[in-house]
Amino acid sequence: MKTLIATTLAGLMSLPALAQDMPETEFNVVGSIGGLSMYTDKELPFWTEQVPADTGGKITANVKPFTELGFKGGEIFRLVSNGTLQMATTVLAYNSGEVPMNESVDLVGVIGSVEELAAAVESWRSSYAEFLETEHNIKLLGFGTYQAQVIYCRDEFTSLADLKGRKVRASGASQQAFVNHLGGSPLSIAFAEVQPALASGVVDCAITGALSGYKAKWNESARFISPMPVNFGLAAQLANLDWWNGLDASVQDYLTTSLRGLETSIFVLAATETATGLACNTSGPCSEGDTAGMTLVPMTEADDALRAEAVKAAILPEFADRCGADCVATWNETIGQTLGMIIE
């Protein structure tokens, strides 16, 4: 992570020179989930403060989170691909049912920390960028991530095995495969709709970020929380390739460099938010508000064994079936090599 930060800062030092001959450019950006820190603390000030300051007002970005624009999330990737949206940040798992490659780095149970996620992302970046350009008419500009995705439940549970028979909100094919393996029933529900679904009993449990769920007040209905990192909620900053190719080279250079800086800052933030979220949801201390008093359900050796079994028996095989031979080869050569893991 320190190397990533140093490299990014070195690139940012040359930005003022780029702005001198930059044409005035205005465009729209669809941001991530409004109200959560990736958007409020990082994306929003980046587009509304940093970009105008860096470019002397030459670049104007009109930014709104997708949750304020009537989108559910899964359609964002397609709308960037077909040019309806110029630029957007989206959680890649939202579209993994249609594009399995999108979930490559964020498979359930495979990665244990934000630092490990950053290393895997770096190994995969160039292969994924080529895939997006050739197959989906999308320019990859950077990544972002939420903190560890954890399990919230309305009713008491003492281990992962207790999720058998429960209805669980799961975003992405990998989470759904995991819930199925546990004997639960996975449901796809937009983030903004989860809290009322928990309150009404439409779902018994739900998976999201440790701090994200706290800020969305899931703890008003869910009273039990597991600290096990299911996965991390990897996001990507994407632009329609045709639109991107029409931008002036100086604008492209600036956005390419500055968005990598935004990526780094988001990963640094996410690295601290798992512990913050778990503390705020339980007994504190909480720097984000009042503690929620949820019951923490400690991980057991049996839970860890069940997670490992799920990865071997369900997560990796189902991903391989969905993604295909070429995708698996890419995974083994990049992410797998970084993690010391191979899909056979």
Side-chain angles (χ1 to χ4, degrees), residues 35-116:
L36 299 187
S37 57
M38 188 191 302
Y39 181 77
T40 60
D41 295 2
K42 296 301 178 181
E43 291 175 73
L44 182 60
F46 172 80
W47 290 114
T48 61
E49 299 172 17
Q50 180 181 328
V51 170
D54 285 346
T55 65
K58 295 288 185 68
I59 294 180
T60 301
N62 305 305
V63 59
K64 288 283 186 183
F66 80 84
T67 46
E68 291 183 13
L69 295 171
F71 296 123
K72 291 185 178 294
E75 70 274 54
I76 300 296
F77 185 93
R78 296 191 302 273
L79 295 176
V80 174
S81 178
N82 67 27
T84 302
L85 299 179
Q86 296 169 319
M87 186 181 294
T89 300
T90 186
V91 175
L92 292 175
Y94 287 170
N95 194 252
S96 60
E98 296 177 33
V99 186
M101 175 75 85
N102 283 354
E103 208 167 21
S104 296
V105 185
D106 204 21
L107 295 170
V108 166
V110 173
I111 287 178
S113 69
V114 171
E115 290 79 9
E116 197 172 54

Side-chain angles (χ1 to χ4, degrees), residues 35-279:
L36 299 187
S37 57
M38 188 191 302
Y39 181 77
T40 60
D41 295 2
K42 296 301 178 181
E43 291 175 73
L44 182 60
F46 172 80
W47 290 114
T48 61
E49 299 172 17
Q50 180 181 328
V51 170
D54 285 346
T55 65
K58 295 288 185 68
I59 294 180
T60 301
N62 305 305
V63 59
K64 288 283 186 183
F66 80 84
T67 46
E68 291 183 13
L69 295 171
F71 296 123
K72 291 185 178 294
E75 70 274 54
I76 300 296
F77 185 93
R78 296 191 302 273
L79 295 176
V80 174
S81 178
N82 67 27
T84 302
L85 299 179
Q86 296 169 319
M87 186 181 294
T89 300
T90 186
V91 175
L92 292 175
Y94 287 170
N95 194 252
S96 60
E98 296 177 33
V99 186
M101 175 75 85
N102 283 354
E103 208 167 21
S104 296
V105 185
D106 204 21
L107 295 170
V108 166
V110 173
I111 287 178
S113 69
V114 171
E115 290 79 9
E116 197 172 54
L117 178 67
V121 161
E122 198 56 41
S123 71
W124 182 61
R125 188 187 304 271
S126 62
S127 296
Y128 184 54
E130 182 179 357
F131 166 78
L132 289 179
E133 292 195 20
T134 58
E135 300 294 329
H136 294 282
N137 195 42
I138 288 175
K139 174 72 176 179
L140 174 67
L141 291 169
F143 292 96
T145 189
Y146 291 102
Q147 63 283 173
Q149 308 287 289
V150 298
I151 302 169
Y152 296 71
C153 286
R154 294 170 68 235
D155 300 323
E156 183 177 7
F157 72 105
T158 58
S159 71
L160 293 179
D162 292 342
L163 300 184
K164 183 177 181 179
R166 300 196 192 189
K167 296 170 291 184
V168 183
R169 182 262 185 171
S171 60
S174 178
Q175 284 189 9
Q176 291 168 358
F178 179 62
V179 172
N180 274 325
H181 186 76
L182 297 178
S185 300
L187 297 177
S188 180
I189 301 175
F191 181 86
E193 299 171 3
V194 174
Q195 166 57 12
L198 281 166
S200 65
V202 171
V203 293
D204 303 303
C205 305
I207 302 171
T208 198
L211 187 57
S212 303
Y214 170 81
K215 290 192 172 184
K217 302 187 184 303
W218 286 17
N219 47 63
E220 291 181 354
S221 299
R223 302 308 305 154
F224 298 84
I225 187 169
S226 165
M228 187 192 84
V230 176
N231 57 348
F232 286 86
L234 184 71
Q237 298 146 3
L238 309 173
N240 175 265
L241 185 60
D242 294 331
W243 172 78
W244 174 261
N245 288 338
L247 294 175
D248 187 85
S250 63
V251 176
Q252 291 178 339
D253 289 344
Y254 168 72
L255 291 175
T256 298
T257 302
S258 61
L259 283 167
R260 287 296 297 274
L262 175 62
E263 173 186 316
T264 300
S265 71
I266 291 172
F267 271 77
V268 171
L269 177 67
T272 68
E273 289 191 330
T274 299
T276 300
L278 291 172

